[in-house]
Amino acid sequence: MTYIAGKFDIAVIGAGHAGIEAALSCARLGCSVALFSLSLDTVGNLPCNPSIGGSAKGQLVREIDALGGEMARAADECCIQYRMLNLGKGPSVHAIRAQADRTRYHIRMKRTLENQSGVTLKQSEIVKINTEDGRASSVLTASGATYEVKAVIIASGTYLQGKLITGEDIRSGGPDGTSPANQLSSSLLELGIPLRRFKTGTPPRILGRSVDFTKLSRQDGDENMPPFSFTTTAPINNTACCWLTYTNPETHEILRSNLHRSPLFSGVIEGVGPRYCPSIEDKVVRFADKERHPVFLEPMGELTDEMYCQGLSSSMPEEVQEQVLHSIEGLENAVICRIGYAIEYDCCDPTVLLPTLELKTVKGIYGAGQFCGSSGYEEAAAQGLVAGINAALSVLGREPYVMERQGSYIGTLIDDLVTRGTNEPYRMMTSRSEVRMLLRQDNADMRLTPDGYKLGLISKERYENMLEKYRRIDAEIQRLERVNIPPSGGLNEYLTQKGSTVITTGIKLADLVRRPELSYEGLAPFDNDREVMTAAEREQVEISIKYEGYIRRQNSGIASARKMESTKLPEDIDYMAINGLRIEARQKLASVRPSNLGQASRISGVNPADITALMIWMKRTIEPNAP
């Protein structure tokens, strides 16, 4: 027996990181939202690493913030240790990573949703999406309640047909032993959405009091860290630390001798796992020459003694996981409070989605997060934000928002998924972008805050503050390019100390900053006209000057790419009828149906010769009819 329980503009299925950003962005743009979760106790859960950010992921968090999302602000309120990764490399790969207090993060996000006008949290399982005239019309809960909607966002995480696997123990379930969503998959298949099985996994969690920390290396946070959010003004304080130990030959022998009991190698696990986050048994096989692998013990929060064993992800039987732990220095008496497990789940082939993350075949249905084949909290939040924005814009009758691949890691992430697809859980890395020097975490506000302001997710005050910040930065760069500094004993002594060539005539300050061995900060004593600037502004000045050549070249590449992106492809092209295309290219183009020539060029299986053939066909077929 079903009944009409209510009407909303948008239904969001799942209240993880994707669902949270989707619901908040929809509501903040003026739509009414029903946010459904199997359990309100898992809103904003961190079921794997208790951390936010990391290489390329920190950039995503900054971009989410620049567009008006929530993750960065919540992280700054709930994180207990911050580190800056890759400081020994160039600024394009610098990234913030922070340990989060898992419980506090959940409470913070749940409270934010509860206080957000336009969002209604519902603890219910969605079992069916109904459509009318090829468009989403309502959702049905397991208890028979029907909610009429204009759009649906699927942010189901790892819950769809979830299966938990630890050794021979296989059971239906979601993360941390929660209930799975077993009925929605059949509804999605009925709608023509192709599903596949992916898997991910977690390591055991142990009690901190059972660890001998005297045998471990202490890993403290970094001082004077910038926050994730451009709006955070409070200083970042490290209140916790991590610890480092290593596996050893005994550990590896235990794993090898029990591979016959590994669900990963016995064929029990059918889902495809993430290549860049393998289980410890997989690492021992794939990297047989390695005598040890690092294991980081990460605190789960300030009010718990649980620690996350980063590096020991496993689906081995419980007794094997215990033997593995006890073979590691410092963990000889470790007490497991949560056993490691693998989880299999249903997700879609993301090439069925448009760059707006809307389904190509059913209007008003959007995907986000692990449902789209990606992994990671940050990737999920980024997609949820974009799906939410576009669902709201559609309901409001506004133009869709499509992010440029060259303008953000979020744009790269979405373009990779919907154009190239993925055969394994997708993880963002800086190497995935062709212009990563331009997509740094420090300038995310300059790149995306204007978009957030136009959309209505960024206040006028915040937008104007951003403009003033970059006016100051540009003015300082111009001053450094203009001002000459004369030689002096003090300056030449400093240059000698730094291994830099002394000067005998005047030199522009910018030319000194460009020297690899010198820094903008270090030259301050010899620059009397310098204005007081924030640390973030000083960083921008130095990067802009030191890497001017790289930035110029990548900007030139973007200009060329935009020419390709501006060449639109008609939606009704019959690719199978274009003789100059290879069979594989015809099939791939017909399947993905790219919106422009740039997107077509990035489809796996479409080569430059195919793009040339497509351009010739367009010139012959379309341009003669142009006015």
Side-chain angles (χ1 to χ4, degrees):
M1 192 73 174
T2 63
Y3 71 102
I4 303 299
K7 294 183 179 181
F8 291 89
D9 290 324
I10 298 164
V12 178
I13 304 173
H17 306 284
I20 288 170
E21 297 292 352
L24 291 174
S25 59
C26 288
R28 289 167 179 170
L29 289 176
C31 293
S32 59
V33 184
L35 175 56
F36 295 93
S37 177
L38 290 170
S39 171
L40 296 188
D41 293 329
T42 60
V43 170
N45 186 28
L46 301 167
C48 197
N49 258 29
S51 67
I52 303 290
S55 183
K57 293 170 177 283
Q59 283 87 332
L60 285 174
V61 178
R62 276 285 183 91
E63 291 181 353
I64 291 166
D65 182 68
L67 273 175
E70 195 66 28
M71 176 175 268
R73 291 196 294 269
D76 285 339
E77 292 179 27
C78 303
C79 285
I80 54 181
Q81 188 206 55
Y82 280 69
R83 300 188 75 179
M84 186 69 76
L85 304 186
N86 302 320
L87 277 178
K89 301 178 181 179
S92 65
V93 295
H94 293 175
I96 303 170
R97 185 182 188 271
Q99 296 300 133
D101 187 310
R102 187 187 191 199
T103 301
R104 193 190 307 169
Y105 191 87
H106 150 70
I107 293 171
R108 162 61 166 79
M109 281 304 201
K110 183 170 181 283
R111 192 62 177 153
T112 299
L113 291 163
E114 291 169 340
N115 289 336
Q116 177 61 55
S117 174
V119 173
T120 301
L121 270 171
K122 295 278 187 180
Q123 181 167 293
S124 293
E125 179 185 355
I126 299 299
V127 298
K128 188 175 183 181
I129 300 174
N130 297 308
T131 62
E132 290 183 9
D133 300 324
R135 187 176 190 88
S137 59
S138 65
V139 294
L140 174 67
T141 71
S143 60
T146 296
Y147 293 87
E148 296 180 352
V149 296
K150 300 172 185 175
V152 177
I153 300 171
I154 305 170
S156 49
T158 60
Y159 285 88
L160 288 185
Q161 298 279 358
K163 183 190 293 183
L164 302 176
I165 305 170
T166 299
E168 295 86 7
D169 181 22
I170 303 169
R171 63 185 67 192
S172 179
D176 291 323
T178 55
S179 299
N182 284 334
Q183 299 185 63
L184 183 59
S185 290
S186 59
S187 173
L188 300 179
L189 290 170
E190 289 174 7
L191 291 171
I193 303 173
L195 298 180
R196 57 175 69 175
R197 293 292 278 180
F198 275 179
K199 82 98 180 172
T200 187
T202 69
R205 276 78 156 179
I206 61 177
L207 290 176
R209 61 178 171 81
S210 67
V211 176
D212 185 353
F213 291 105
T214 63
K215 297 181 178 180
L216 275 57
S217 299
R218 186 183 176 101
Q219 305 287 299
D220 288 310
D222 294 334
E223 298 300 322
N224 302 315
M225 281 289 296
F228 278 115
S229 176
F230 291 100
T231 64
T232 297
T233 55
I236 296 302
N237 295 314
N238 293 310
T239 60
C241 71
C242 298
W243 302 83
L244 174 63
T245 184
Y246 294 90
T247 63
N248 54 60
E250 181 187 352
T251 311
H252 299 178
E253 181 55 35
I254 292 170
L255 290 163
R256 291 192 187 102
S257 64
N258 284 281
L259 285 179
H260 63 285
R261 300 185 66 192
S262 167
L264 186 66
F265 291 95
S266 66
V268 171
I269 292 177
E270 300 175 354
V272 180
R275 186 192 323 172
Y276 301 100
C277 189
S279 64
I280 184 62
E281 55 265 36
D282 195 19
K283 283 193 281 190
V284 167
V285 172
R286 287 167 55 184
F287 308 107
D289 58 320
K290 298 287 185 182
E291 293 190 354
R292 67 178 192 172
H293 295 284
V295 178
F296 290 92
L297 299 190
E298 301 174 340
M300 300 284 285
E302 292 184 304
L303 299 179
T304 180
D305 195 39
E306 277 191 83
M307 303 200 80
Y308 182 92
C309 299
Q310 167 69 9
L312 288 182
S313 177
S314 180
S315 59
M316 280 289 204
E318 184 170 352
E319 64 269 28
V320 176
Q321 292 189 38
E322 191 169 82
Q323 291 176 42
V324 165
L325 277 168
H326 291 169
S327 71
I328 297 172
E329 191 170 17
L331 307 184
E332 293 90 348
N333 298 304
V335 175
I336 297 176
C337 46
R338 302 194 203 209
I339 199 67
Y341 62 88
I343 182 168
E344 286 188 346
Y345 56 95
D346 287 348
C347 59
C348 80
D349 177 351
T351 60
V352 301
L353 301 170
L354 296 167
T356 59
L357 296 180
E358 184 180 26
L359 275 177
K360 295 174 181 176
T361 54
V362 185
K363 295 295 183 183
I365 298 181
Y366 298 77
Q370 285 178 282
F371 175 72
C372 298
S374 65
S375 67
Y377 311 141
E378 302 82 2
E379 289 91 340
Q383 293 170 66
L385 178 61
V386 173
I389 288 170
N390 279 302
L393 293 177
S394 176
V395 167
L396 297 171
R398 295 170 58 184
E399 288 296 310
Y401 176 59
V402 176
M403 301 187 73
E404 283 189 320
R405 178 182 182 86
Q406 297 82 12
S408 65
Y409 277 106
I410 300 177
T412 304
L413 160 68
I414 293 174
D415 183 67
D416 277 351
L417 289 173
V418 305
T419 302
R420 297 170 174 168
T422 182
N423 293 320
E424 63 188 21
Y426 177 99
R427 175 185 174 182
M428 176 50 69
M429 296 176 287
T430 56
S431 59
R432 295 194 188 273
S433 173
E434 301 84 358
V435 290
R436 67 182 185 180
M437 190 63 212
L438 303 180
L439 306 186
R440 307 183 309 274
Q441 63 175 8
D442 60 88
N443 69 359
D445 57 341
M446 177 185 71
R447 293 184 282 111
L448 293 177
T449 299
D451 286 3
Y453 176 63
K454 290 175 185 176
L455 288 165
L457 294 173
I458 295 290
S459 69
K460 183 177 182 181
E461 179 185 12
R462 180 175 173 183
Y463 174 63
E464 290 179 343
N465 286 341
M466 184 276 297
L467 293 178
E468 174 59 20
K469 169 185 172 181
Y470 283 95
R471 184 202 65 76
R472 287 164 51 80
I473 290 169
D474 290 343
E476 178 64 357
I477 292 170
Q478 292 174 25
R479 185 187 72 84
L480 293 172
E481 294 283 7
R482 184 177 63 250
V483 172
N484 273 289
I485 183 170
S488 68
L491 175 59
N492 279 334
E493 181 181 354
Y494 173 75
L495 294 177
T496 301
Q497 290 174 354
K498 291 295 181 180
S500 191
T501 304
V502 299
I503 61 173
T504 56
T505 61
I507 187 173
K508 286 187 168 54
L509 279 168
D511 289 332
L512 286 177
V513 174
R514 286 189 182 95
R515 294 186 180 186
E517 65 276 8
L518 303 181
S519 69
Y520 174 68
E521 197 77 25
L523 290 166
F526 312 102
D527 183 8
N528 297 325
D529 296 326
R530 181 175 298 189
E531 291 188 16
V532 177
M533 304 185 80
T534 66
E537 290 169 345
R538 295 194 298 272
E539 179 186 28
Q540 289 265 325
V541 168
E542 174 150 352
I543 290 172
S544 297
I545 292 175
K546 273 193 184 300
Y547 298 92
E548 179 187 11
Y550 294 100
I551 292 171
R552 189 188 310 115
R553 283 196 294 273
Q554 292 200 348
N555 273 321
S556 176
I558 283 182
S560 300
R562 281 176 175 158
K563 290 181 181 179
M564 293 277 283
E565 304 290 334
S566 66
T567 306
K568 303 299 180 184
L569 297 173
E571 294 181 4
D572 58 351
I573 290 181
D574 182 3
Y575 291 103
M576 305 306 291
I578 301 177
N579 293 326
L581 294 174
R582 296 173 305 111
I583 294 296
E584 182 185 10
R586 295 182 200 182
Q587 294 171 343
K588 293 291 182 67
L589 288 164
S591 173
V592 176
R593 304 212 67 82
S595 59
N596 58 65
L597 208 56
Q599 187 184 5
S601 69
R602 295 189 293 274
I603 297 173
S604 175
V606 176
N607 64 32
D610 296 316
I611 296 300
T612 300
L614 187 55
M615 292 172 67
I616 292 171
W617 177 86
M618 289 181 64
K619 189 172 184 66
R620 291 174 178 172
T621 308
I622 298 174
E623 291 189 11
N625 299 324

